[in-house]
Structures are given as C-alpha cells and as structure tokens.
C-alpha cells in the first residue's frame, strides 16, 4: 500500500457556545484536514487544529508545512514502513507539531486498514470504552455554576473548569461551582498559564483550606517557566499537571526528572501525532506517572485518533476528549462513537471513517 497523494482541506464547525480560556476565545472550529490516498484506493484522514496561542500553528503554516515540506518526502512510501514514514515526518522540519500530527493520524488510519484491524488494537488494545470530562469555559461564576449543573444533568461525572483570568475571581468561581454541584462531581481545573507561581500557590492553598476538593490543577504558570511549575508542585497538595510545558518526549523527560509536575497532559497536536505520544506514554510508564489524554478544539476526526491512542494505553487514566461534544454539528460519519461522556470504539478498519462532510479543498 503506497502513498499516491496527500491533500489538505479545511473544515468549519460552529460551537454550541463560545469556548473561553485564559488564552483565547473560540466560536467556530476552523481546522485543516489531511487526506492521504494510496495506490490501493485506500484513504486515511487526519486533522490539524489551528491553535496559534499554544502551538504557533496557523492555517497557512499548516498547509505550507504539509504541502511543501512533509508531502514531498512521503509520496511513494509504503505504509508498512511506518517507522521510516514517521522519521521522515519528524525530520521534514522542526516544530510544526499540528501538521505533523495530522499526517501521522492519516498514516495510522491507513496502517489499520493495511492490517485489516482497528487502530486501538494495534496500539495495545487495552480498552474500547472511555469516559471523558467536559470543559466549563471561564465566565462569570454564576454562568459557570449553571454550566456545571447542566454537565451534571447530562451525565458527566468530571468537569474541567477553566480559570487563570484573575486568581481572586477564580477562587470565587470554584466556590460557586462547588456549592452548586455539591460533591456529586469531580472537579479538575485548568489555568492555561494564567497565574504567576506565587499566585498559583496562594490560590490553590486557599482552595485546599476551603475544602473545594480539586482533583488536579493543569498548567498553572507560563509554559516556559519550568522552575515556576516546580515551585507550585513543591508547595501545594493538589496534584499539578503539565500541559503547555510538554510538547515533545524530551519535554516530558525534563519535567519528570526535575519532578516539576505530578502528571502530564498528552495531546496529539503537541506531540506531532501518535508515534511521539507513545514515547511519552512509555516514559510515563517507566516513571509511574499517570497521564491525561487531552485535545485542542478539534472535530471527531482528530478526536477519533486520540481515542484510539487512549484505547491502546493503560498509563492514560484521565481523559479530556470532549471537543466533539462542544460542537453544534458533527460532519463525521463513523469514527469514535460519542454519547456525551461515554466514548465507544468499534472494531472498524483503521479509524473507521465512512464519510466526512464539509471539507473544502483548495
Ligand atoms: C478542549 C479541551 N477540553 C481543552 O480544554 N483543551 C485546552 C486547550 C484547547 C484550545 O485552546 O484549543 C487545554 O487543555 O488547555
Ligand atoms: Mg490544558
């Protein structure tokens, strides 16, 4: 099965309500979709999220990276030589983790098709059911409390609450939410780099003293500030999770050996796809560090790939794979089956996409 062509298109999906974090506000997902066709007529799909404030990748840079740098090195390659394909993707240019992820996903989709099996079984076959949390965007405390109650009524057992705007209001946000949902919901929080190290320690200790029972705090400080992250980890009881501080396996090594965080949030858009995410899983297993598998604002194309990795790896014990549930439309027929918090993987070939609507190719 040899690669005949690689195309990049665009997809637009409106959200049910604006997605707000300390870093950005999103109304519509506008992402790049990769389509790889082989000489056997098989087709694989992947997705690159436009998240310039985290990865630096834009629609223009993603298309250019794939068409001008990655595509030429892959045309004619045999899918069974996946090791060499992944080396070529990684060596085609530095950084650009989202376009690399999109191509990596499409290759894994084809790899499953080549061996007539579903991808999560090739990756370890550990589970075919996953329970995701749902994100509560950062807004006024009352609106966030209402969103949390709505999540509870829709069956979610864990909410991921966005904070990091102003630590005093963040404390009020969590007090209001905890009062509204009682102890029926597990609450994790994500500051998306919004606090200084001292603010993070201060506000987290206050949350601890008030008994708000926060499962973990994600990326309290700036991505580059590993010393600051370690300062927070060393000075609070709540587990600290590195997100924007960990893109590559090398970043994960650095965090682990310096004990700068207790947990890592792996995202395909940061690692450059499944093949590097597996390396982080292996490292985490060696050092007995549980991981979360997270996502950017992606459609069910990117999320199906992430779900297959989650299905393969036991070291991934926490799941923030909610983006399709935040979308007002699902253009994907096939792939992972989303029923609010429950995600099911069926025994399809590859990722099991049957039809994908609304992709616009140049
Ligand atoms: C969508 C997911 N639940 C999430 O919150 N991801 C964010 C980044 C998403 C983005 O800005 O596209 C995170 O974990 O930081
Ligand atoms: Mg995060």
């Amino acid at each position: 099965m040899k690669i005949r062509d690689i195309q990049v298109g665009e997809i637009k999906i409106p959200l049910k309500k604006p997605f707000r974090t300390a870093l950005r506000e999103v109304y519509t997902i506008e992402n790049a979709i990769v389509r790889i066709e082989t000489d056997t007529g098989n087709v694989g799909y992947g997705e690159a999220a436009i998240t310039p404030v985290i990865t630096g990748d834009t629609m223009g840079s993603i298309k250019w990276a794939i068409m001008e740098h990655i595509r030429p090195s892959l045309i004619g390659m045999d899918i069974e030589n996946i090791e060499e394909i992944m080396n070529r993707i990684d060596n085609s240019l530095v950084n650009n983790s989202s376009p690399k992820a999109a191509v990596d996903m499409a290759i894994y989709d084809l790899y499953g098709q080549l061996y007539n099996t579903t991808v999560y079984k090739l990756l370890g076959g550990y589970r075919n059911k996953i329970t995701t949390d749902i994100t509560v965007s950062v807004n006024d405390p009352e609106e966030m409390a209402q969103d949390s109650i709505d999540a509870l009524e829709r069956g979610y057992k864990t909410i991921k609450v966005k904070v990091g705007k102003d630590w005093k209001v963040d404390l009020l946000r969590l007090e209001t939410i905890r009062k509204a949902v009682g102890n029926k919901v597990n609450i994790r929080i994500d500051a998306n780099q919004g606090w200084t190290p001292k603010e993070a320690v201060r506000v987290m200790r206050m949350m601890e003293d008030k008994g708000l029972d926060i499962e973990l705090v994600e990326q309290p400080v700036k991505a580059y500030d590993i010393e600051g992250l370690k300062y927070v980890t060393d000075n609070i009881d709540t587990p600290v999770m590195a997100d924007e501080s960990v893109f590559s396996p090398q970043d994960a090594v650095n965090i682990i050996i310096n004990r700068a965080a207790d947990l890592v949030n792996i995202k395909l858009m940061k690692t450059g796809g499944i093949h590097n995410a597996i390396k982080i899983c292996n490292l985490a297993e060696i050092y007995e560090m549980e991981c979360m598998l997270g996502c950017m604002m992606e459609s069910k194309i990117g999320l199906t790939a992430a779900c297959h990795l989650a299905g393969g790896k036991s070291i991934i014990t926490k799941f923030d794979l909610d983006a399709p549930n935040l979308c007002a439309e699902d253009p994907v027929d096939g792939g992972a089956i989303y029923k609010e918090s429950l995600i099911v993987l069926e025994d399809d070939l590859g990722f099991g996409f049957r039809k994908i609507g609304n992709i616009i190719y140049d």
Side-chain angles (χ1 to χ4, degrees), residues 15 19 23-24 26 29 31 47-57 97-98 105 135 160 162 192 218 243-244 246-247 265-271 293-299 302-303 306 320-324 326-327:
L15 299 181
F19 175 80
L23 289 173
R24 68 185 195 133
V26 184
I29 289 179
N31 287 349
E47 177 169 5
I50 312 301
T51 319
V53 290
I54 297 177
T55 61
D57 300 327
S97 53
S98 314
M105 288 176 194
T135 305
K160 165 157 152 166
K162 292 291 186 182
N192 283 109
E218 201 174 311
D243 181 3
E244 290 95 318
V246 175
F247 273 51
N265 183 352
I266 303 171
K267 291 179 188 160
L268 300 184
M269 289 303 132
K270 296 185 295 169
T271 60
L293 194 68
C295 62
M296 301 296 187
M297 292 305 289
E298 301 161 56
S299 78
L303 264 297
D320 175 36
L321 299 172
D322 60 340
L326 307 176
C327 294

Side-chain angles (χ1 to χ4, degrees), residues 83-97:
E83 178 80 0
E84 174 64 14
I85 291 176
M86 295 308 170
N87 287 342
R88 289 189 184 196
I89 294 172
D90 279 341
N91 295 332
S92 55
L93 71 174
V94 298
N95 302 324
N96 288 274
S97 53

